[in-house]
Amino acid sequence: MALTSEDIKKIAHLARLQIDEQDIPGYARNLTEILALVEQMNSVDTSGVQPMAHPQDVSQRLRPDEVTETDQRAHFQQIAPQTEAGLYLVPRVIE
Amino acid sequence: MGWESVIGLEIHAQLMTKAKVFSGASTAYGAVPNTQACAIDLGLPGVLPVLNEAAVRMAVKFGLAIGAEIAPRSVFARKNYFYPDLPKGYQISQYELPVVHHGRLDIVLDDGTTKTIGITRAHMEEDAGKSLHEDFHGMTGIDLNRAGTPLLEIVSEPDMRSAKEAVAYMKRLHTLVRYLEICDGNMQEGSFRCDANVSIRPKGEQRLGTRTELKNLNSFRFVERAIEYEIARQIEVLEGGGRIVQETRLYDPIKDETRPLRAKEEANDYRYFPDPDLLPLEITADLIESVRAELPELPDAKKERFIRDFGLGPYDAAVLTATHELAKYFEDTVRHLGGSPKLAANWVMGEVSAALNRDGIDIAASPVGPAALAGLLKRIEDNTISGKIAKEVFEAMWSGHGDADQIIESRGLKQITDTSRIEVMIDEVIAKNPQQLAQFRAGKDKLFGFFVGQVMMVSKGKANPAQVNEILKRKLAG
Amino acid sequence: MHNLSIKRLVEALRAKKFSSRDLAEHFLARIERFQERLNSFITVTHDQALAAADAADQRIHAGDAGPLTGVPIAHKDIFCTDGVKTSCGSRMLDSFVAPYDATVVARFKQAGAVMLGKTNMDEFAMGSSNETSYYGPVKNPWDLARVPGGSSGGSAAAVAARLVPGATGTDTGGSIRQPAALCGITGLKPTYGLVSRYGMIAFASSLDQGGPLARTAEDCALLLQAMAGFDPRDSTSIDRAVPDYSAGLDKPLDGLRIGLPKEYFGEGLDAGVARVIEEAIAGYRSIGCEVAEISLPNSGLAVPVYYVVAPAECSSNLARYDGVRYGYRCEDPKDLTDLYKRSRGEGFGAEVKRRIMIGTYALSAGYYDAYYLKAQQVRRLISNDFKRAFEQVDVIMGPTSPSTAFRLGEKANDPVKMYLSDIYTIAVNLAGLPGISIPAGFHDGLPVGLQIIGNHFEEARLLNVAHKFQQETDWHTRAPMEA
Ligand SMILES: [Mg+2]
Ligand SMILES: [Zn+2]
């Protein structure tokens, strides 16, 4: 699958990545090459093969319903780019 | 042409766990912003989710209560999108393999018939945080306390055909989750939220019409009105030769209308895939059986029992089992009273419900509890007071003036049952009203009531009505 | 002091031949001396290290020493360290001071190790040469014009140059084994689920695994002992007893069945590397091992599968870097979308952006089945190849990397060429198996690594097989000229 500059723009938007206009052809070329590599997968028949999402065949462990965390807001917000009144600030969200 | 409306509901019920679904932070409502958002809820680099057992048990409990299948193996998936109240850039939810599927719930329609609504699926997921739009220098503030709160998303089949049916289904579900004690049902706090999918089609048509999704329906009344508005709007559009656009619409309760959510710049592409941080959830037969053992009596079973054991009529039984709290209040009253379920039922559905409605109080917070009410009803049963006086005593109890016996005592409301005292009062009344006596004896039977009223007035309502009747009959006969 | 193994350092500290503080000062001085040439560290925690060393000395004096008390180590900058910058090699996290310790970090503290600093790495562990780091490339101590491998290149170079006796790394597609091979040291990638991922910044969650880098298998056993074990905070952590990794190191290898996958010795393998590996295998034969050719028929598809699975997971894992709660935030965002796009566009480097885009594409509507689902199915086939192989053999051996360390810049502008430098390591991650790379010799003056792959939870066996080789050879004792 050869990706066009338009494809790159669409994907970059979906991933919320700013890509400079001049870099788009380079990304299109690289991604197309990577997809060509990836598509070698199609050389093998996988009909009926159970997909493998985890390397170990185990099931989810459950934890007891206990409150174990205490308020660390001040600690966590020390590293935040912008806060006020204990809230994280972002440019206005239009509903 | 006749139109048929087709409605399906998606309900998000917040599960009543102490801690969040994937972290150990508290789920308590109303905390100071971001004080209940731990490293996991904030999506700090390197943190990982671990599933809360109680949330799983609650989902299974719900599944059992709606006769659904419980998936022996279900999978958590990531729903990817960017939004400031979604800290990780994805919501952990269930997609292809939900924990509960193929359930059903019966609703009772206005004409007394029962209809079964299919429940396609119910899956576990985490809630997002909240955006606060007050003006922070033109910015939005984000509070992540709610992020990671466990939700059960309950998706119905498009089985409802009117706004009334939709509300009946939603109320039934609301009752059920509270019976099960898996959700507090508080709609103001957002613990029970509803989105409605609405479409219409010509009567007799099998294919579904294009649907719209209605959001922001945070009361039963809004659900009903929004759906009614939307059905009318869709009919108008189609009859005017237009077509319905598949979109999300917001209900505005002030204008009582729905309108499209500000057009999104693009269609969503959530890129669901299995969450690699969470393994498949396996639900064993043992777990299901241990949850089944905890299952409370469900509304329908309770209603049947009330009819059978208490001799109540179907209507009374339905009213009294409408909520878990009301049923419990009623049963507790009967227990304290040691029987007399009909008397208790009349009072719970009558005076108690009226007072609660008038004051806007929840039954659990009733100023007159089941024991106190039983104390009052006992005095009716043993003839200490009449039913009429009892209402006066109840009002005093409601206002916090003490228990029934204290009020009866301090206000001297005890019924007069002493025959000689009642005879004296009757003689007095007859002596004072010779004209009426003559008329009565001449055949004007209706005046009997007049004499009863006079005697009750003289006794300040305290004379035992049965005795008054009996003695009066004898004396008037002459 | 810097040529002593961890095992010897522990003994010397216990015997009070020198103090933990002496040791910390000695290594800190070396780090400082070599930093400009090698660029192997992002952060040196000089003051905290000395304080920790003093505390270690007190513990030793009080007779209260843990297994690693006083031993200097370094952590790959992918592990969160409470109060210490944790950058993951990215501009995105240049300002990120972690507010908590990763489980691995906490366990090393518990064992008494003294952290000297955080090592350089490819950005978000995405790379095989350490050239994608925001902090500049790490140089190979054997030849400063060459790469150290990646993504744990800083840890590998620092250990090879004797700047620290042992370090942590992470391995998603070869990121411990390949730099260990290219720098001439020993590096172990444990079974998926053995070492907690809590606090280890995620690249590809179903592949990532932390592990040790040191000069010898014996030292790796000591480090792994501290790292391994069940962690209730990681749902993918496996709850099973951790064996004593040092106990069986000397077990004889008579009758050990070694499988050589024919796919690992074909086209693309440098002839000089092949010769070194063949000699190493001959060495195993001479101490009583049985060698047989085996086949892992789907080996060739490991790289293609990996470049769907890893980018798909990373595209989602890296969505949290949005400039809101921590990390890089662009100047004066004009609206929300602008905040997201510029913070991420400016905060991430080109390789990270490439992989996010590949993953986003592979998961997007209409492509999921053809890419993601297909990859998960082929992944199963690759895993089944290993299952079958381990019915016939005890361990699998082959080269860690198809070539010795390549030149800086040689593959930097050709992602596919770079990706193929991991052809022998990636399948192990897809299958969740343990693998170790040990120094096997030299080709043109550059180290060559032998990879040994075991079945799930067979770390003790891998360490035993590696240690026996290191008793017969001295490749692991060679130090680069620069050191
Ligand atoms: Mg939904
Ligand atoms: Zn939902």
Side-chain angles (χ1 to χ4, degrees):
Chain A
M1 173 76 80
L3 295 180
T4 63
S5 292
E6 274 318 298
D7 293 329
I8 296 297
K9 283 182 193 164
K10 250 192 277 177
I11 301 165
H13 173 70
L14 200 51
R16 298 296 184 274
L17 291 170
Q18 179 80 48
I19 305 282
D20 289 342
E21 197 66 36
Q22 80 226 29
D23 295 335
I24 290 177
Y27 278 108
R29 196 177 54 248
N30 286 154
L31 264 59
T32 298
E33 286 166 10
I34 296 166
L35 288 177
L37 169 77
V38 158
E39 283 161 8
Q40 291 175 17
M41 294 188 305
N42 296 330
S43 66
V44 61
D45 179 14
T46 51
S47 41
V49 177
Q50 188 66 30
M52 178 171 164
H54 291 284
Q56 301 273 20
D57 189 19
V58 284
S59 59
Q60 178 60 34
R61 184 164 25 81
L62 302 175
R63 56 165 237 279
D65 182 24
E66 284 161 11
V67 175
T68 53
E69 302 299 318
T70 50
D71 172 24
Q72 293 194 71
R73 184 176 83 178
H75 189 44
F76 292 147
Q77 293 197 343
Q78 259 177 14
I79 50 172
Q82 198 180 357
T83 59
E84 194 176 309
L87 300 164
Y88 294 97
L89 293 195
V90 297
R92 193 164 200 74
V93 176
I94 311 141
E95 284 283 289
Chain B
M1 183 169 29
W3 296 96
E4 178 179 61
S5 45
V6 176
I7 301 152
L9 299 186
E10 281 179 25
I11 286 170
H12 284 87
Q14 184 181 313
L15 298 174
M16 284 165 63
T17 55
K18 295 195 275 285
K20 292 185 179 174
V21 59
F22 297 116
S23 84
S26 169
T27 55
Y29 181 80
V32 174
N34 289 312
T35 56
Q36 284 177 185
C38 73
I40 292 165
D41 308 324
L42 293 175
L44 288 183
V47 298
L48 295 170
V50 183
L51 184 57
N52 185 333
E53 181 180 13
V56 174
R57 296 183 70 91
M58 289 179 188
V60 170
K61 204 173 184 184
F62 177 76
L64 292 175
I66 58 163
E69 287 180 43
I70 311 295
R73 182 185 158 94
S74 66
V75 167
F76 285 95
R78 294 184 182 179
K79 179 181 182 178
N80 295 284
Y81 64 96
F82 287 90
Y83 204 73
D85 65 14
L86 189 70
K88 299 185 294 295
Y90 59 84
Q91 179 197 28
I92 304 177
S93 182
Q94 295 193 299
Y95 186 54
E96 282 182 326
L97 296 171
V99 62
V100 167
H101 59 99
H102 287 99
R104 73 200 109 76
L105 197 63
D106 286 348
I107 59 171
V108 180
L109 304 180
D110 279 350
D111 62 4
T113 58
T114 297
K115 178 171 179 175
T116 300
I117 306 297
I119 294 178
T120 319
R121 59 185 281 158
H123 67 252
M124 279 182 276
E125 61 183 24
E126 56 178 347
D127 208 346
K130 271 184 186 154
S131 302
L132 303 168
H133 303 293
E134 295 104 272
D135 197 31
F136 293 102
H137 336 287
M139 302 191 84
T140 292
I142 307 295
D143 172 12
L144 296 171
N145 278 349
R146 205 180 62 184
T149 299
L151 299 177
L152 191 65
E153 181 177 333
I154 304 158
V155 183
S156 84
E157 291 289 313
D159 284 347
M160 287 148 283
R161 293 290 172 268
S162 69
K164 283 217 160 30
E165 285 186 22
V167 171
Y169 164 77
M170 188 180 170
K171 281 190 171 160
R172 201 83 193 111
L173 207 57
H174 189 249
T175 299
L176 180 63
V177 294
R178 286 180 306 148
Y179 257 84
L180 296 172
E181 293 179 314
I182 62 172
C183 173
D184 67 18
N186 191 323
M187 291 167 82
Q188 280 78 49
E189 291 175 7
S191 305
F192 192 81
R193 313 198 282 263
C194 178
D195 299 335
N197 292 312
V198 178
S199 65
I200 60 166
R201 62 185 172 192
K203 278 214 169 79
E205 170 67 62
Q206 288 303 300
R207 274 176 311 155
L208 292 170
T210 304
R211 67 185 163 85
T212 56
E213 187 178 357
L214 310 184
K215 290 202 178 283
N216 198 28
L217 311 175
N218 50 22
S219 77
F220 295 116
R221 206 161 55 97
F222 291 173
V223 169
E224 183 163 351
R225 285 168 56 173
I227 293 173
E228 268 167 5
Y229 173 88
E230 183 59 16
I231 291 169
R233 186 191 71 86
Q234 291 189 10
I235 291 173
E236 200 179 297
V237 169
L238 291 182
E239 290 188 344
R243 35 185 286 278
I244 305 299
V245 184
Q246 182 165 345
E247 63 186 355
T248 301
R249 298 177 69 89
L250 216 56
Y251 176 66
D252 180 342
I254 294 158
K255 292 188 178 152
D256 190 22
E257 62 175 31
T258 68
R259 58 166 177 271
L261 206 66
R262 188 177 298 254
K264 288 218 175 118
E265 47 187 302
E266 84 236 64
N268 283 316
D269 184 348
Y270 292 124
R271 289 159 286 137
Y272 282 99
F273 74 109
D275 190 328
D277 288 330
L278 291 161
L279 297 156
L281 173 63
E282 273 176 18
I283 295 186
T284 60
D286 281 358
L287 189 139
I288 292 177
E289 287 322 306
S290 80
V291 172
R292 201 191 299 279
E294 288 171 3
L295 216 55
E297 186 182 29
L298 297 178
D300 287 340
K302 201 184 280 283
K303 184 178 142 192
E304 290 311 313
R305 181 169 60 82
F306 279 17
I307 293 170
R308 193 177 63 237
D309 293 1
F310 294 145
L312 300 180
Y315 176 79
D316 288 3
V319 171
L320 289 170
T321 53
T323 72
H324 173 59
E325 293 84 354
L326 186 64
K328 182 169 160 32
Y329 185 97
F330 165 72
E331 282 204 90
D332 285 351
T333 304
V334 173
R335 187 165 46 79
H336 285 291
L337 192 54
S340 307
K342 280 183 184 162
L343 177 65
N346 288 340
W347 273 78
V348 172
M349 291 163 62
E351 296 303 308
V352 176
S353 294
L356 291 170
N357 272 341
R358 183 191 63 210
D359 295 355
I361 301 174
D362 227 49
I363 187 124
S366 170
V368 177
L373 180 66
L376 173 64
L377 301 186
K378 268 182 195 153
R379 294 299 156 259
I380 297 176
E381 287 207 299
D382 66 9
N383 281 327
T384 306
I385 53 173
S386 66
K388 191 153 178 254
I389 292 289
K391 290 180 184 177
E392 187 187 330
V393 176
F394 177 78
E395 282 308 319
M397 289 166 75
W398 192 266
S399 313
H401 295 295
D403 66 23
D405 287 340
Q406 286 165 346
I407 293 164
I408 292 166
E409 182 61 38
S410 68
R411 302 192 180 185
L413 296 175
K414 211 165 170 173
Q415 190 158 253
I416 300 166
T417 51
D418 176 348
T419 312
S420 55
R421 276 186 70 192
I422 295 174
E423 282 190 356
V424 170
M425 288 187 266
I426 288 176
D427 290 344
E428 197 180 307
V429 167
I430 290 175
K432 271 189 183 165
N433 298 288
Q435 213 178 325
Q436 282 83 352
L437 179 68
Q439 287 173 351
F440 179 81
R441 287 188 173 160
K444 203 169 178 188
D445 290 351
K446 274 188 193 159
L447 280 171
F448 188 76
F450 164 78
F451 285 103
V452 172
Q454 291 297 307
V455 175
M456 292 314 282
M457 207 160 78
V458 170
S459 75
K460 298 194 176 86
K462 292 186 290 184
N464 178 293
Q467 283 171 289
V468 169
N469 274 347
E470 189 199 313
I471 300 169
L472 200 53
K473 236 179 246 169
R474 184 160 37 87
K475 296 222 171 198
L476 288 176
Chain C
M1 250 187 279
H2 57 266
N3 280 315
L4 293 175
S5 70
I6 294 173
K7 192 169 185 232
R8 296 278 166 263
L9 289 177
V10 171
E11 288 162 3
L13 284 164
R14 296 277 166 89
K16 303 193 179 77
K17 291 198 173 131
F18 42 75
S19 68
S20 174
R21 190 181 177 97
D22 294 339
L23 209 50
E25 281 174 344
H26 177 77
F27 279 110
L28 285 167
R30 286 183 64 79
I31 291 171
E32 206 173 309
R33 183 143 66 87
F34 286 94
Q35 179 59 14
E36 211 178 311
R37 256 176 286 176
L38 296 176
N39 194 30
S40 57
F41 278 80
I42 290 173
T43 303
V44 180
T45 49
H46 190 272
D47 296 351
Q48 291 105 310
L50 293 182
D54 288 342
D57 284 329
Q58 278 173 19
R59 272 181 78 177
I60 292 166
H61 279 284
D64 175 33
L68 294 175
T69 297
V71 174
I73 56 150
H75 288 301
K76 184 177 182 178
D77 208 19
I78 199 169
F79 289 99
C80 283
T81 40
D82 195 2
V84 175
K85 169 171 155 175
T86 301
S87 74
C88 222
S90 182
R91 182 187 192 192
M92 183 59 85
L93 292 179
D94 185 48
S95 66
F96 180 67
V97 175
Y100 74 103
D101 272 336
T103 298
V104 162
V105 171
R107 289 195 176 185
F108 271 111
K109 276 186 184 167
Q110 189 63 37
V114 173
M115 181 181 84
L116 303 184
K118 309 287 297 285
T119 58
N120 202 345
M121 57 182 284
D122 278 300
E123 184 178 7
F124 281 99
M126 298 177 199
S128 309
S129 67
N130 226 298
E131 292 166 292
T132 71
S133 170
Y134 175 62
Y135 301 93
V138 176
K139 315 290 170 51
N140 191 313
W142 294 90
D143 178 349
L144 298 181
R146 290 176 187 270
V147 303
S151 66
S152 310
S155 287
V159 170
R162 275 74 173 153
L163 309 187
V164 69
T168 56
T170 60
D171 190 316
T172 304
S175 283
I176 288 174
R177 290 159 290 157
Q178 185 254 18
L182 271 44
C183 289
I185 61 164
T186 304
L188 172 69
K189 181 258 165 202
T191 305
Y192 184 86
L194 181 69
V195 172
S196 168
R197 294 188 298 114
Y198 192 81
M200 196 178 100
I201 298 178
F203 158 19
S205 310
S206 79
L207 303 165
D208 296 342
Q209 189 61 200
L213 296 101
R215 291 200 303 276
T216 64
E218 198 172 35
D219 284 357
C220 280
L222 291 171
L223 297 180
L224 182 63
Q225 203 72 50
M227 300 175 86
F230 175 63
D231 181 4
R233 289 196 287 190
D234 175 359
S235 292
T236 61
S237 167
I238 308 274
D239 192 359
R240 85 202 301 269
V242 175
D244 180 343
Y245 293 115
S246 301
L249 288 174
D250 287 315
K251 270 199 290 191
L253 300 183
D254 302 283
L256 181 86
R257 296 171 302 165
I258 297 171
L260 305 180
K262 61 174 193 240
E263 294 81 5
Y264 284 21
F265 292 88
E267 204 192 327
L269 177 61
D270 181 283
V273 171
R275 217 164 20 250
V276 171
I277 298 301
E278 277 151 21
E279 272 168 41
I281 306 284
Y284 275 108
R285 242 195 214 104
S286 71
I287 56 170
C289 300
E290 296 166 15
V291 179
E293 188 187 89
I294 58 162
S295 175
L296 300 169
N298 295 293
S299 291
L301 300 179
V303 174
V305 166
Y306 180 87
Y307 280 96
V308 175
V309 174
E313 293 182 4
C314 101
S315 71
S316 177
N317 282 335
L318 270 61
R320 68 189 60 199
Y321 305 104
D322 58 7
V324 178
R325 295 163 318 286
Y326 47 78
Y328 179 80
R329 181 180 189 132
C330 68
E331 292 281 335
D332 300 321
K334 68 176 200 296
D335 58 29
L336 190 62
T337 305
D338 190 44
L339 167 75
Y340 288 154
K341 287 191 172 178
R342 279 202 292 127
S343 298
R344 293 166 58 76
E346 294 162 17
F348 292 137
E351 179 60 18
V352 170
K353 281 187 269 200
R354 266 196 288 273
R355 297 206 194 181
I356 290 175
M357 284 195 279
I358 283 286
T360 301
Y361 182 72
L363 290 174
S364 65
Y367 298 99
Y368 180 88
D369 287 5
Y371 292 105
Y372 184 76
L373 203 62
K374 179 79 182 179
Q376 298 285 46
Q377 290 177 308
V378 182
R379 181 178 186 177
R380 171 84 58 196
L381 299 180
I382 290 169
S383 172
N384 289 346
D385 284 354
F386 281 109
K387 273 198 184 130
R388 263 190 300 274
F390 285 119
E391 285 165 10
Q392 303 163 40
V393 299
D394 301 313
V395 295
I396 293 168
M397 286 189 191
T400 305
S401 176
S403 71
T404 54
F406 42 91
R407 286 179 194 288
L408 283 156
E410 191 181 323
K411 303 181 183 180
N413 297 314
D414 188 344
V416 169
K417 206 164 156 195
M418 183 73 85
Y419 297 171
L420 292 171
S421 48
D422 290 328
I423 44 171
Y424 305 135
T425 48
I426 275 177
V428 167
N429 298 78
L430 292 171
L433 298 166
I436 192 168
S437 178
I438 57 172
F442 288 82
H443 170 52
D444 285 344
L446 292 168
V448 171
L450 169 73
Q451 180 176 219
I452 313 168
I453 302 164
N455 211 338
H456 290 126
F457 298 106
E458 297 244 293
E459 284 77 9
R461 189 202 288 269
L462 292 187
L463 290 162
N464 168 222
V465 172
H467 178 68
K468 293 305 276 186
F469 185 81
Q470 292 178 339
Q471 283 185 318
E472 303 288 324
T473 59
D474 67 352
W475 307 117
H476 59 287
T477 65
R478 307 282 179 94
M481 292 299 281
E482 288 296 332

